[in-house]
Amino acid sequence: MTETHSETSLRRPVTLDDVARHAGVSQPTASRVLNGSTRKVNDAFRERVLAAASELGYTANLSAQAVARGSSRTIALVISGISDPYFSAMAAAIMRQAESVGLRVSIAVTDRRSDRELDLVREIRGQQPLAIILAGTGFLAPHPVDALVEELRRYEETGGRVVLVSRSDLPFETVAFDNYEGARQLARGVAGLGYRSYLLLGSGTALLGMQQRIDGFVQGLADEGVQVAADRIIYPEFSWDGARRAIESLDASTLRDVELVFAITDDMALGAIAGLRSRGLSIPGDIAVAGFDDITTLRDIVPSLTTVHVALDAVAEEAIYRATTDDDVLTRKTVPAYPVLRESTPGV
Amino acid sequence: MTETHSETSLRRPVTLDDVARHAGVSQPTASRVLNGSTRKVNDAFRERVLAAASELGYTANLSAQAVARGSSRTIALVISGISDPYFSAMAAAIMRQAESVGLRVSIAVTDRRSDRELDLVREIRGQQPLAIILAGTGFLAPHPVDALVEELRRYEETGGRVVLVSRSDLPFETVAFDNYEGARQLARGVAGLGYRSYLLLGSGTALLGMQQRIDGFVQGLADEGVQVAADRIIYPEFSWDGARRAIESLDASTLRDVELVFAITDDMALGAIAGLRSRGLSIPGDIAVAGFDDITTLRDIVPSLTTVHVALDAVAEEAIYRATTDDDVLTRKTVPAYPVLRESTPGV
DNA sequence: TTGTATGCGTTATCAT
DNA sequence: ATGATAACGCATACAA
C-alpha cells in the first residue's frame, strides 16, 4: 500500500500464448481469431478466445507481427519539419489519408539537413515500412543525393515503395502540385485586376517546383501582355527572413514603381510584407502582395492574402495510393492548384 | 531492360545472417559489432563485419530487435492534432528532445475524439514503447476515462511509463505550464498599463488548465485592485470560432465599456479579434486583446499579440526525462510561463 | 573472444 | 477446423 506505483507487480505483457492457455485452445487458434484474416474458427472457440483476450487485456505485439509477417502496415513519412504550418498541414493530410486505409504512419523530421535525411532513411529502412514518403522539403544547400538514392534503391529492391511529394530532386515517383499552371492562373488573375508592374521573389536555393512557380507566373503575365524585366525577378534565401531582408535591401527607386510583389510561398510573402511595412509601406494601399500555398493557419492575417490554393488532401490521397499499390505508375502526377484572390490584391 | 523497375529482382532484405556469412563469422559476432553494446570483438573480425555490412547495405530490423530485446527505444506521442500550430510546436519540441537522447518517437493523432484516443492507446500498447506521452488536448465533450485509465494502467504494469503533458484529467504524472501564475502575471502587467474593464473568455469545455488561466487572471487583477464581474467571464466553445461567435453575439452595451479582452489561448484571442473586427471595432484602438500560449507562427499577426509565453522546450525536456527515468516523481511539475506585452495592449 | 543453442511473440505450413 | 512445428531476424546465456 505504501509501495510506490511502478514497483507493483512488474509483470510481462500478456502474450498470445497466455490468451490461448486461458481460453483452453492452441496458440495458432488464438492467433486466427484475434489477428488472422481468413476466418475459419468455430464460434464456441472464437468466443472463448475473445473473452480471454478481453479479460487479460491482450494487445498484439506489433513488432512480433512485423517479424513474423515480414512486413508491417506502416508507412514512413520523412518531412523537413512539423512546426512549419505548411508542412504540418501536409503531414496532417497524409496521416489522415493513411489512417483511412488502415495504415500507421511514422514521422521523421529532417530539419532541412540532408545528412540527417540520409541517416533517417537508413534507419527507416530498418522499420521495414510498406513505403517511404519524402514530402516536399527544400534543403538550404545543394546536397549530394547519391548515397540517398542508393539507400532508397536498396529499399525498393526489397519490395518497398518510394514516393516523393512536392519535390522532384530524386529519380523516384513524384506527386506534385501543378505549380506552373497555378502560378500562371494567379498571374492572369492579378493582371486582370490591372496590375502592370511586378516584383517576383524566387528561391535562392535551386528548387524545381519553386522555379516553376516563377516561370508560370511570368508566362501568365505574358498571356496578358505584361512583360517583367529580368532584374525584377530576385532570388533571396528561401525563407521568411530571406524575403524580408531582400525587400529591405532593395533600393527605393526600384521599389517605387512596383505595384505587386509575388512570392513563391506564403511564408515568403509574409516576410515580404514585414519588409515592406518596415519601409513604411502599407499593404495593399501602397503595394499589393500575393503568395502561394494557401496556408490555412493564415486566416488571421490582415489583409487576407491572395495566394494559390493547393489541394493537400488530393496530394495525400495520391501519395498514399502510390505507396500502397503495386502498379508502376511512373507518370509524374500533378494535382491542380488554383488562385484565390483576396484583400492583399484589391486591384488598382 | 524493358522490365519495369519494381519487378527487378525482388530480393529479401539483407539480414544479420547474410552479413555474418559474407564476413565469414558467426551471426552473434556480427550482432555484437553492429548492434551490441559492450565491445569485445577482435579488430580483424570487426572490420570484416563492418565492410560486409556496408557492402551489402545492411540495416538492422528494428522489429526483430524489439522482439528479441523485449523493448524498443521508442516513445509514443499521443496528441490531438498536428496542423494546429500550438500542438505542432509542442510535438516538434518533444520530438527534438527525444531525438537528442536517441529515442525514436511515433506520433498518433486523436482528432479530439476520446474514443479514438482509447483505440490509439490500445494499439500503441502493442508497439511496446518505453513510454506513452499524452500531450495536452481538450476534448469537445466530457469523456469517460475509465477504459482509458485501465488501458494505461495495464501498460504501466508491464513497465511502461505514462506521462501527461499540459493536461491533468487522468491520474498520472503531469508536467504542465504554470497556467495560474502566468495568467496572474499577465493580468498584473496589463492592469499596470491602465486597463480597468475586462472581458474574459474561458473554455466551455471543463478543462482544469484552462480554468486555472481564468482564475490566475482574476487573481492578478485582484492583486492590482481590479474586480471583474461574474458576467464578464464567459465560456464559449473552446475554439477560434467559439470565441468569434461569442464576441459577435455579445450585446453592444456590454462590449461598450470593455477595454481589454483576455482569452485563454492565442487561438481564441484571434477568434475574438475576428469577432471584434466584424463588429467594426479596431484593435488595439478601440479595444485591447491578450491571449495565452505565444504561438510562434503568429509573428505575422498585426497588431502583434500580447500573450503568455510557455517554455515548450522545458516542458518537452521534463516530459522526456520522466518518460525515461525509473524514479517515481509523483510531484506534479509545472514549468514557468511569463507574460509578453506587445502591440495588442499598448495601454490606455 | 568466438560460436552454439535457445528464446522473443507472432504468423504460416503442414499434418490431422 | 484445429493443433503441432517451423519459420521470421535478432539478442543473449552459455559453452568452448
Side-chain angles (χ1 to χ4, degrees):
Chain A
M1 214 54 179
T2 55
E3 62 189 353
T4 53
H5 183 76
S6 74
E7 288 169 327
T8 58
S9 60
L10 248 188
R11 55 174 177 274
R12 63 171 197 20
V14 176
T15 73
L16 204 48
D17 225 33
D18 298 330
V19 175
R21 201 174 355 251
H22 197 264
V25 300
S26 77
Q27 189 253 25
T29 297
S31 172
R32 287 189 265 260
V33 7
L34 292 174
N35 312 317
S37 46
T38 48
R39 56 180 65 176
K40 35 186 178 180
V41 175
N42 186 301
D43 277 3
F45 281 0
R46 158 174 240 86
E47 281 178 32
R48 273 161 55 191
V49 169
L50 288 174
S54 160
E55 186 175 342
L56 267 48
Y58 168 76
T59 312
N61 182 323
L62 265 60
S63 296
Q65 285 188 327
V67 173
R69 289 184 174 137
S71 77
S72 62
R73 290 203 48 83
T74 300
I75 68 164
L77 175 60
V78 179
I79 203 160
S80 56
I82 57 169
S83 51
D84 177 295
Y86 173 67
F87 288 119
S88 64
M90 173 102 78
I94 290 177
M95 291 189 75
R96 201 180 313 126
Q97 193 62 36
E99 183 205 323
S100 76
V101 295
L103 258 39
R104 269 177 299 279
V105 30
S106 74
I107 299 186
V109 175
T110 66
D111 280 327
R112 295 202 174 194
R113 284 163 34 204
S114 61
D115 58 332
R116 186 157 163 61
E117 181 173 49
L118 177 58
D119 289 343
L120 284 176
V121 167
R122 199 165 294 177
E123 185 188 306
I124 284 170
R125 216 149 65 75
Q127 299 179 22
Q128 320 254 113
L130 251 42
I132 299 180
I133 298 181
L134 298 146
T137 174
F139 285 107
L140 299 181
H143 57 295
V145 296
D146 290 358
L148 180 59
V149 169
E150 183 188 344
E151 203 71 28
L152 290 171
R153 284 252 178 271
R154 281 211 157 103
Y155 172 68
E156 275 195 334
E157 282 170 5
T158 62
R161 295 194 67 83
V162 176
V163 178
L164 265 44
V165 173
S166 187
R167 78 185 266 186
S168 45
D169 54 339
L170 301 174
F172 293 93
E173 275 189 47
T174 296
V175 30
F177 305 115
D178 197 340
N179 292 304
Y180 187 88
E181 265 309 296
R184 184 175 168 205
Q185 297 303 334
L186 173 64
R188 286 182 167 181
V190 293
L193 293 172
Y195 295 104
R196 286 293 173 267
S197 176
Y198 293 85
L199 177 69
L200 275 51
L201 266 48
S203 166
T205 310
L207 298 167
L208 180 56
M210 296 303 119
Q211 187 55 42
Q212 288 170 339
R213 294 180 182 184
I214 292 290
D215 295 343
F217 198 88
V218 169
Q219 180 59 49
L221 292 182
D223 292 348
E224 301 291 321
V226 178
Q227 304 301 321
V228 39
D231 67 335
R232 293 303 172 83
I233 308 180
I234 59 179
Y235 294 91
E237 184 194 301
F238 185 51
S239 69
W240 186 92
D241 213 49
R244 184 186 57 76
R245 288 200 307 268
I247 292 291
E248 286 181 350
S249 61
L250 229 50
D251 51 278
S253 62
T254 302
L255 202 52
R256 198 161 5 245
D257 60 25
V258 170
E259 295 173 335
L260 187 151
V261 173
F262 167 65
I264 50 172
T265 68
D266 284 352
D267 189 50
M268 288 184 74
L270 292 175
I273 289 177
L276 291 168
R277 281 183 174 148
S278 81
R279 299 186 65 151
L281 296 168
S282 85
I283 321 296
D286 296 322
I287 195 160
V289 174
F292 201 117
D293 284 340
D294 197 22
I295 296 174
T296 54
T297 50
L298 260 41
R299 64 180 168 190
D300 295 296
I301 295 291
V302 175
S304 56
L305 190 67
T306 286
T307 185
V308 178
H309 181 80
V310 293
L312 285 176
D313 282 322
V315 164
E317 185 179 348
E318 183 69 21
I320 294 296
Y321 172 74
R322 286 163 185 246
T324 51
T325 184
D326 277 340
D327 298 350
D328 274 300
V329 262
L330 288 178
T331 55
R332 186 165 163 290
K333 167 92 173 192
T334 65
V335 168
Y338 52 89
V340 187
L341 302 179
R342 299 209 182 95
E343 297 165 3
S344 68
T345 59
V348 292
Chain B
M1 214 55 178
T2 56
E3 63 191 353
T4 53
H5 183 76
S6 71
E7 288 169 330
T8 60
S9 61
L10 249 190
R11 53 174 179 273
R12 63 170 195 23
V14 176
T15 74
L16 204 48
D17 227 31
D18 299 329
V19 175
R21 200 171 359 247
H22 197 264
V25 300
S26 76
Q27 182 257 14
T29 298
S31 171
R32 288 189 264 260
V33 7
L34 292 174
N35 312 316
S37 46
T38 50
R39 57 181 66 176
K40 35 185 178 179
V41 174
N42 186 302
D43 275 2
F45 281 1
R46 158 173 240 85
E47 281 178 33
R48 273 161 54 191
V49 170
L50 289 174
S54 162
E55 185 176 342
L56 268 47
Y58 169 76
T59 312
N61 183 322
L62 269 65
S63 296
Q65 286 188 325
V67 173
R69 290 184 173 137
S71 77
S72 62
R73 286 198 57 77
T74 299
I75 68 165
L77 175 60
V78 180
I79 204 160
S80 57
I82 56 169
S83 51
D84 178 296
Y86 173 68
F87 288 120
S88 65
M90 173 103 79
I94 291 177
M95 291 189 77
R96 202 180 313 127
Q97 192 64 35
E99 182 205 324
S100 76
V101 295
L103 258 39
R104 269 176 300 279
V105 29
S106 74
I107 298 186
V109 174
T110 66
D111 280 327
R112 296 203 174 192
R113 284 162 33 205
S114 62
D115 59 333
R116 185 156 164 63
E117 181 172 50
L118 177 58
D119 289 342
L120 284 176
V121 167
R122 199 165 295 177
E123 186 188 304
I124 284 170
R125 215 149 65 76
Q127 299 179 22
Q128 320 254 111
L130 252 44
I132 299 179
I133 297 181
L134 299 146
T137 174
F139 284 108
L140 298 181
H143 56 297
V145 297
D146 290 358
L148 180 60
V149 170
E150 183 187 344
E151 203 72 25
L152 290 171
R153 286 250 178 272
R154 281 209 156 106
Y155 173 67
E156 274 194 332
E157 282 170 6
T158 61
R161 294 193 67 84
V162 176
V163 178
L164 265 44
V165 173
S166 186
R167 76 184 267 185
S168 47
D169 54 338
L170 301 175
F172 293 92
E173 276 189 47
T174 295
V175 30
F177 305 115
D178 198 341
N179 292 305
Y180 187 88
E181 267 307 299
R184 185 175 167 204
Q185 298 302 332
L186 173 63
R188 285 181 167 181
V190 292
L193 293 173
Y195 294 104
R196 286 292 172 269
S197 177
Y198 293 84
L199 177 70
L200 276 50
L201 266 48
S203 166
T205 310
L207 297 168
L208 182 57
M210 296 303 118
Q211 187 55 41
Q212 288 170 339
R213 294 180 181 184
I214 292 290
D215 295 343
F217 198 89
V218 169
Q219 181 59 50
L221 292 182
D223 293 347
E224 302 290 321
V226 178
Q227 304 302 320
V228 39
D231 68 335
R232 294 302 173 85
I233 309 181
I234 59 179
Y235 294 90
E237 185 193 299
F238 184 52
S239 69
W240 186 92
D241 213 49
R244 184 186 57 76
R245 287 200 307 267
I247 292 292
E248 285 182 351
S249 62
L250 230 51
D251 50 278
S253 62
T254 302
L255 202 51
R256 198 162 3 250
D257 60 26
V258 170
E259 295 172 335
L260 186 150
V261 173
F262 167 65
I264 50 172
T265 68
D266 285 352
D267 189 50
M268 287 183 75
L270 293 175
I273 288 177
L276 291 168
R277 282 183 173 148
S278 82
R279 298 185 66 150
L281 296 167
S282 84
I283 319 297
D286 296 323
I287 196 161
V289 174
F292 201 116
D293 284 339
D294 196 23
I295 296 173
T296 54
T297 51
L298 260 41
R299 65 181 168 188
D300 294 297
I301 295 292
V302 176
S304 58
L305 190 65
T306 287
T307 185
V308 177
H309 181 80
V310 293
L312 285 177
D313 282 323
V315 164
E317 186 180 349
E318 182 69 21
I320 295 296
Y321 171 75
R322 284 162 186 247
T324 51
T325 184
D326 278 340
D327 298 350
D328 272 300
V329 264
L330 287 178
T331 55
R332 186 167 163 290
K333 167 92 174 192
T334 65
V335 168
Y338 52 90
V340 187
L341 301 180
R342 298 207 184 96
E343 297 166 4
S344 68
T345 59
V348 293

